[in-house]
Amino acid sequence: MNFAKIVAALSVLAVGLSCGLTPQISSAAAAPPAAAATGQAAAPTLAPQTGADPAVIAAFAKLKEGAFAGKANNDDVAGALAYYAERSSAAWVGKDGLNANAKAAVDEMKKAADWGLDASEFALPDANANVSTPDAAGEAEAKLSLAVLTYARHARGGRIPLATLSRILDLKPPLKDPKAVLSEIASASSASDYLIGLHPKHEQFVRLRQALLKAQGPAEPEKPIDEAFLIKLPDGPTIKPGSLHPDIALLRKRLKVPADFSGRDTLYDEKLTEAVKVFQSDKGLKSTGQINQRTRAALNGEGVKKKPDKARDVQRIAINMERWRWMPEELGSLHIWNNIPEYTTRTLKDGKVLFKERIIVGQPTWPTPVFSAQMKTIVFNPSWGVPDGIKQKELKPRLQKAGGGGFFDQLFGGGGGGGGVIRAYGLTPYINGRPIDPDSVNWASADLRKYSFIQPPGAKNPLGVVKFLFPNPHDVYMHDTTQRNLFASSSRPFSHGCIRVQNPMQLAEVLIAQDRGWAADKVASAVSSGGDFVLEKPFPVHSTYMTAVVDEAGNVSTFGDVYGHDSRLAAALGSKVRDFDSGVSGSDIETASVAAEEDAAADTGEPKPAKKRKGQVEKKSKTSYRMPESIGEAMSGLVAN
């Protein structure tokens, strides 16, 4: 690889600096200490009303007993005490026992499994309990109120403190005030309807619940496998369109594309080529039409079903229902939904998808966080500044190495040092807002926090021609990219946390059309002019981690647990942790490394990277990305974003 190509490659690889996240493993072990599940609020100093029903007085006394409250949330206990301090009569019990509303509430809570919850977590009174004494009546009253509050908390996403799962789950579940819950259910015409109404109304939650009921029911008879899936292509050479090869006859049967004329079964004609391209696109492969080993493997793998595991299916659906409970009650009539494990972004308006495209998300060690924020600005032809976190974690070690007469001095022609590295990235260093000569600083010992590093707009800028800003504490945004070849991979956790969009200009056109009513040509004019486009009507962006999504027909699609959140949530909910595939495979590693370089070489006409030498052992990465041998061994994580 010549010097010019190295410099160009380094500029492209600088996309690894585009986000300011601190590298982290999203695990419970990495999370900061969190408050206990029982909360921190202390019960207020209250007392029942004078002349209150004996059952109310007894219920109040029971709620003040620490042993009685048990595992109940402290905020719920405080809310119940505040509620009973204002009541003169019992809500749930009468002289004959539990009233009709109480029995309806008990019956509904026993059906918690139908909503992905655990009925055993609600300490319910006996529906036929003897309440002839004030103490017994008060105990049943207090017990049911705490059970209702626990159900309400779980239905609204308060079952697990999110900070105990991962630092990057930055959501605040829409919990209801406990006192308000008891007041509202007491005045509701139907206690069961009130409890049902506490669950999310999001379309995906509703669909997941229907899928849950179906998965919990009797197993459906397996549908017969399409005979075309039974046809397997053997290992063989890459077959290009227009070729004659015996495997083409098998391929025609596999894709159900018969030859137009007798005797031409082995000709790889245009009609079959188009069918292969469609298949490749659907499977996240590069649509070349060439029958290579990855395409053969994808063809042979389709239709292969995992061994049925009803418990795993139920658990995964329930886990994703739990995540929808954490979401804001209102997603926004217009909003963007970035689903990390699906590597997909959607722009929706009133439930209709206006835009859907592939995205690239953070590596497992630089995970994209889960949060919601307001999109406010679209920036055309953006400059790019290196965030402080990446200055220290990524850039500093390379500048220090560059000053020691080692690899970088050789790479940049001897004596280039840190200044050569900075120029290779296409960066301009600044101090106090003033540009400086990169060779005027001893970068091996400099405090990088005092300097700004800016790359101007241009073809090699890692942000491409557009970025989408929705201010958030994680410094995450959506943007264009120069590494378009990585979108060909079926799994795409390659960034340092930010979200790269395959067709960002189309997204910009959709958003600006919704905001201002502009046509595509006017948006194109704004791009050429550059600068910030401030939205008149900011709208929500939701970054989620949904490993199960249900379509309109009720079909459930599942995605790899790339960050391990499924396993941690299952364990936190007290369930047996099932085998959740990470969704990352060796073929994805190949796409992001050697295959990507081969694509680039094909585009530029330069030589392809050397094939692996006989006997050479290829190092496997624990993440979904292996660095290209030519530069990656020196550049570490910079290539990955």
Side-chain angles (χ1 to χ4, degrees):
M1 183 178 288
N2 60 32
F3 178 79
K5 185 174 180 183
I6 290 173
V7 173
L10 285 172
S11 181
V12 172
L13 297 182
V15 71
L17 300 175
S18 65
C19 294
L21 293 173
T22 300
Q24 54 190 288
I25 304 297
S26 57
S27 65
T38 53
Q40 297 295 330
T45 302
L46 298 169
Q49 291 183 358
T50 302
D53 188 278
V56 171
I57 297 172
F60 193 94
K62 284 291 182 183
L63 289 167
K64 297 203 71 169
E65 295 177 10
F68 176 80
K71 296 181 179 180
N73 183 282
N74 282 354
D75 288 341
D76 290 345
V77 175
L81 284 167
Y83 172 72
Y84 282 108
E86 297 179 0
R87 281 193 70 90
S88 59
S89 60
W92 304 114
V93 299
K95 62 179 181 178
D96 297 324
L98 295 184
N99 59 33
N101 229 22
K103 290 179 180 179
V106 169
D107 288 344
E108 187 58 45
M109 284 188 278
K110 287 180 178 179
K111 303 174 188 174
D114 292 348
W115 293 92
L117 300 178
D118 184 355
S120 69
E121 295 184 3
F122 313 123
L124 299 171
D126 184 349
N128 300 312
N130 184 346
V131 295
S132 57
T133 66
D135 189 62
E139 180 173 349
E141 178 80 12
K143 198 170 188 179
L144 184 51
S145 285
L146 286 182
V148 165
L149 291 178
T150 302
Y151 187 96
R153 182 170 294 276
H154 290 196
R156 308 283 287 193
R159 194 172 174 187
I160 302 292
L162 301 191
T164 64
L165 296 174
S166 173
R167 290 181 296 179
I168 64 170
L169 298 179
D170 185 12
L171 293 172
K172 187 176 181 180
L175 302 178
K176 287 182 69 71
D177 175 67
K179 181 183 173 185
V181 169
L182 292 178
S183 298
E184 290 168 3
I185 195 171
S187 60
S189 58
S190 167
S192 59
D193 287 348
Y194 179 83
L195 293 175
I196 290 172
L198 291 170
H199 295 283
K201 308 299 188 298
H202 306 310
E203 183 63 34
Q204 274 298 312
F205 182 89
V206 173
R207 293 179 185 178
L208 282 166
R209 187 195 175 231
Q210 293 304 314
L212 179 72
L213 295 175
K214 185 177 180 180
Q216 290 173 333
E220 295 184 348
E222 287 193 39
K223 297 178 181 179
I225 297 177
D226 190 328
E227 290 186 2
F229 291 147
L230 302 177
I231 297 170
K232 306 299 180 184
L233 272 67
D235 290 341
T238 296
I239 305 174
K240 296 182 179 180
S243 303
L244 286 169
H245 195 280
D247 290 352
I248 297 301
L250 292 173
L251 180 63
R252 289 189 179 282
K253 293 179 181 179
R254 170 64 184 79
L255 294 180
K256 301 180 181 178
V257 182
D260 290 334
F261 303 100
S262 177
R264 304 189 70 176
D265 287 352
T266 59
L267 174 63
Y268 191 15
D269 59 21
E270 185 176 347
K271 184 178 178 181
L272 182 57
T273 299
E274 288 304 311
V276 169
K277 286 182 178 180
V278 170
F279 173 84
Q280 289 172 326
S281 178
D282 289 344
K283 296 302 177 184
L285 305 173
K286 191 168 183 179
S287 300
T288 62
Q290 297 184 13
I291 311 300
N292 54 22
Q293 286 302 108
R294 296 194 73 210
T295 300
R296 289 174 185 264
L299 286 162
N300 293 341
E302 191 175 35
V304 177
K305 294 183 178 180
K306 284 187 176 181
K307 184 178 179 180
D309 187 338
K310 182 175 180 179
R312 180 188 62 211
D313 295 343
V314 168
Q315 184 182 60
R316 175 158 261 178
I317 293 170
I319 282 172
N320 283 277
M321 290 175 68
E322 188 73 14
R323 292 190 177 114
W324 279 107
R325 301 181 195 279
W326 306 339
M327 297 294 290
E329 289 185 85
E330 297 296 331
L331 299 179
S333 58
L334 175 70
H335 67 272
I336 286 180
W337 174 22
N338 295 319
N339 193 25
I340 297 164
E342 190 182 2
Y343 308 109
T344 298
T345 184
R346 297 173 177 85
T347 300
L348 300 100
K349 183 176 183 181
D350 298 328
K352 180 182 178 182
V353 177
L354 304 180
F355 176 81
K356 180 180 177 182
E357 191 52 273
R358 296 180 182 183
I359 57 176
I360 289 170
V361 302
Q363 304 168 64
T365 50
W366 292 78
T368 299
V370 175
F371 68 101
S372 295
Q374 290 284 316
M375 181 171 288
K376 297 182 177 181
T377 310
I378 301 173
V379 182
F380 295 113
N381 293 318
S383 296
W384 166 64
V386 183
D388 287 340
I390 294 179
K391 287 180 197 174
Q392 295 298 113
K393 298 292 183 180
E394 296 283 0
L395 189 56
K396 182 178 179 179
R398 289 155 183 82
L399 292 176
Q400 288 175 334
K401 290 179 181 179
F407 171 81
F408 279 99
D409 285 342
Q410 301 170 29
L411 180 63
F412 295 108
V421 175
I422 291 170
R423 283 191 296 273
Y425 281 130
L427 301 174
T428 299
Y430 288 77
I431 188 165
N432 298 325
R434 177 176 55 85
I436 60 173
D437 179 356
D439 293 322
S440 67
V441 178
N442 180 0
W443 296 110
S445 59
D447 183 355
L448 298 193
R449 292 172 298 181
K450 297 180 180 179
Y451 298 86
S452 299
F453 299 89
I454 306 295
Q455 185 179 51
K460 295 178 181 179
N461 186 295
L463 302 184
V465 298
V466 60
K467 69 177 179 179
F468 306 86
L469 300 181
F470 35 101
N472 60 84
H474 309 284
D475 291 330
V476 165
Y477 45 86
M478 300 167 69
H479 63 89
D480 188 10
T481 179
T482 55
Q483 291 181 302
R484 298 187 180 279
N485 52 288
L486 294 184
F487 287 107
S489 180
S490 55
S491 65
R492 297 179 288 280
F494 302 140
S495 82
H496 275 69
C498 280
I499 298 168
R500 292 190 272 171
V501 185
Q502 183 163 17
N503 286 307
M505 279 307 304
Q506 185 181 349
L507 174 58
E509 290 170 4
V510 168
L511 298 182
I512 294 176
Q514 292 297 317
D515 188 67
R516 303 279 179 89
W518 287 10
D521 58 345
K522 193 169 182 179
V523 176
S525 176
V527 174
S528 61
S529 300
D532 295 359
F533 180 93
V534 179
L535 296 170
E536 292 181 345
K537 296 167 284 190
F539 61 89
V541 177
H542 305 290
S543 170
T544 70
Y545 192 90
M546 304 298 174
T547 54
V549 172
V550 187
D551 66 16
E552 294 180 356
N555 301 309
V556 181
S557 295
T558 59
F559 312 102
D561 185 18
V562 64
Y563 297 160
H565 289 326
D566 276 4
S567 297
R568 281 189 290 279
L569 181 52
L573 295 175
S575 305
K576 177 182 176 181
V577 178
R578 306 289 166 177
D579 179 22
F580 297 123
D581 184 7
S582 71
V584 176
S585 68
S587 61
D588 296 319
I589 296 172
E590 177 188 351
T591 299
S593 56
V594 176
E597 286 197 3
E598 289 177 347
D599 290 341
D603 291 340
T604 61
E606 296 197 29
K608 294 182 180 181
K611 300 294 183 180
K612 186 173 70 173
R613 297 184 300 274
K614 184 176 181 180
Q616 179 182 352
V617 178
E618 183 177 1
K619 295 180 180 179
K620 294 292 184 180
S621 170
K622 291 183 180 180
T623 70
S624 62
Y625 188 80
R626 195 188 77 76
M627 308 306 169
E629 294 177 2
S630 56
I631 294 178
E633 297 301 326
M635 298 312 296
S636 181
L638 289 178
V639 70
N641 198 20

